[in-house]
Amino acid sequence: MFLAFTEMSRAKVRFGLLTAALGMLVFLILFQTSLQNGLLTSFVGAIRNQTAPVLVYSVDGQRVIQGSFITPDLEQLTVDADGVGDVGRIGQGTFSATDADGTLTDVTVLGYEDESLGAPAELVEGRYPEAAGEAVGSSNDADAGFGLDDTIVVQPGGYEITIVGLADDVQLNAGATLFVAYDDYVDAVKSVNPDAGDPLPNVLAVAPADGVTDDEVVASINGQSTDLDALTKDDAADETPGVAQVQQSFQVIFLLYGLVIPCVTGLFFLIITFQKAGALTLLRAIGAPARRLVSSLLLQAVVIVVAGYLIGLALYYPLSQRRLGGIQLRFESTAVVVWAVLLLILGIGSSLISARRVLKIDPIEATTGGANR
């Protein structure tokens, strides 16, 4: 231990730069983890965090709520499927609306028939709608004119919607999102286009009958018609177009980080080992065991990785509490723990390459310079 810290104290700049570099890499990894999760939640949070366990689309909708339309025939087939309990309609539309600040903006309105089939799963403030013209909004949009008790005016037509509750992570399409009763959704559509008539529901929300699993209901509904596309809500969120592509892009980035860190630490310690080869040879010649030299090298690797991780964590924490545009970032505890373990393993593993060179040092070289070999 003394040997490891003595060497680090004599080369503060060299070890400090490596620690700072690792800290920046850790910061980027954790920040992009929060960015990925926040981005995906802003696109499909309204699907993942609503109360209906199963959602039924039309196949032509390609798993996009607004692109799906459920005809009466398809609705009846869903109701008649084995294992189906309660069924509720869900409608979705994107409207131009004036927010509480008087700004004209786009807002997504989701209408549900039953609070247990399509409403936000949990409120953080306020209550669920109880009267016409009331809505639950996203807490992510509360500071952008969509806060509690704010009134939104759909344009044209002037249909007013008052926000009476807020829920976390219930945005759709990365924009302001409101959950209303299905009749209010229909009224909003008619206020914009009085000649539209009653719109078809976009999706059906389904709850399984007692003793029936979500997957069994999905299979039963899909067996009714090739025009029906039933999914559990988690699958519906994950298979929304664009979600898989975003996840794959970030996975490539994280893989590159996982390759860069062992390369950086391994190359650093390998260069250090080459530079101090003479000193290591001398230590071996005067009786220093190879195990002590290797343990000193591994200790340095642990100290650098831990210190670098703490620096990255200190940079990441305050940023993880902020919003970037409409994306709410959060402190990702699971990612912090997983990456801490992974980076420690990668850092130590890469330093073992240098440790092999230490083990190969021949003490005789200290006195003969390798002449007798």
Side-chain angles (χ1 to χ4, degrees):
M1 183 179 296
F2 175 77
L3 180 63
F5 286 110
T6 299
E7 183 182 0
M8 293 180 72
S9 66
R10 290 178 178 177
K12 297 184 183 69
V13 174
R14 188 161 49 192
F15 283 93
L17 287 175
L18 177 61
T19 303
L22 287 177
M24 289 303 300
L25 286 172
V26 168
F27 165 72
L28 290 173
I29 290 171
L30 296 179
F31 168 69
Q32 292 197 42
T33 300
S34 287
L35 184 61
Q36 173 193 235
N37 294 340
L39 182 62
L40 293 177
T41 298
S42 71
F43 273 104
V44 296
I47 298 174
R48 193 182 302 278
N49 299 314
Q50 52 81 37
T51 53
V54 174
L55 297 176
V56 182
Y57 299 75
S58 65
V59 169
D60 291 341
Q62 299 183 339
R63 297 174 179 175
V64 176
I65 294 179
Q66 196 164 353
S68 170
F69 296 97
I70 303 296
T71 63
D73 290 342
L74 293 179
E75 183 173 355
Q76 190 60 50
L77 286 172
T78 301
V79 172
D80 293 340
D82 293 337
V84 169
D86 296 327
V87 178
R89 296 175 177 178
I90 292 179
Q92 187 242 312
T94 301
F95 302 89
S96 295
T98 305
D99 62 24
D101 299 325
T103 304
L104 187 65
T105 186
D106 290 335
V107 58
T108 296
V109 176
L110 283 160
Y112 59 88
E113 284 189 317
D114 189 322
E115 193 174 296
S116 64
L117 292 171
E122 184 177 352
L123 300 185
V124 295
E125 194 174 355
R127 58 176 175 82
Y128 288 100
E130 297 174 353
E134 295 183 339
V136 171
S138 169
S139 61
N140 297 354
D141 306 314
D143 296 330
F146 293 87
L148 196 65
D149 297 326
D150 286 341
T151 297
I152 313 304
V153 182
V154 176
Q155 303 292 346
Y159 189 77
E160 295 186 354
I161 302 174
T162 301
I163 299 173
V164 296
L166 294 175
D168 284 340
D169 300 332
V170 290
Q171 286 180 302
L172 190 67
N173 301 328
T177 304
L178 300 177
F179 286 78
V180 301
Y182 190 81
D183 288 342
D184 286 322
Y185 159 73
V186 172
D187 289 342
V189 172
K190 290 182 176 180
S191 74
V192 174
N193 184 3
D195 298 326
D198 290 338
L200 291 173
N202 297 103
V203 173
L204 296 178
V206 175
D210 293 340
V212 181
T213 67
D214 295 347
D215 289 335
E216 289 172 343
V217 168
V218 167
S220 175
I221 294 172
N222 287 334
Q224 290 287 88
S225 171
T226 56
D227 292 327
L228 290 172
D229 187 13
L231 298 162
T232 64
K233 67 177 180 180
D234 287 338
D235 287 343
D238 291 338
E239 296 182 26
T240 297
V243 170
Q245 289 79 359
V246 171
Q247 290 176 323
Q248 290 171 359
S249 298
F250 276 98
Q251 286 170 0
V252 171
I253 293 173
F254 294 141
L255 176 61
L256 292 175
Y257 283 134
L259 295 175
V260 167
I261 287 177
C263 288
V264 170
T265 55
L267 183 60
F268 174 83
F269 282 110
L270 188 60
I271 292 173
I272 290 295
T273 303
F274 274 116
Q275 290 178 340
K276 63 182 182 180
L280 291 173
T281 302
L282 182 59
L283 287 171
R284 291 283 283 119
I286 63 176
R291 183 175 58 205
R292 181 178 299 174
L293 300 180
V294 172
S295 63
S296 174
L297 185 68
L298 295 180
L299 178 59
Q300 289 175 347
V302 171
V303 170
I304 288 173
V305 172
V306 171
Y309 199 84
L310 292 176
I311 291 173
L313 194 60
L315 294 172
Y316 164 68
Y317 179 78
L319 190 61
S320 68
Q321 312 300 309
R322 301 173 64 89
R323 285 184 58 181
L324 293 180
I327 301 174
Q328 178 64 54
L329 302 180
R330 284 188 172 80
F331 187 83
E332 303 291 342
S333 302
T334 302
V336 168
V337 174
V338 170
W339 277 105
V341 174
L342 182 59
L343 295 182
L344 188 60
I345 293 173
L346 291 174
I348 294 175
S350 62
S351 66
L352 290 177
I353 299 174
S354 301
R356 290 183 60 188
R357 178 169 177 79
V358 173
L359 293 173
K360 291 180 180 180
I361 294 175
D362 188 348
I364 296 177
E365 292 185 359
T367 55
T368 66
N372 296 328
R373 298 182 64 186

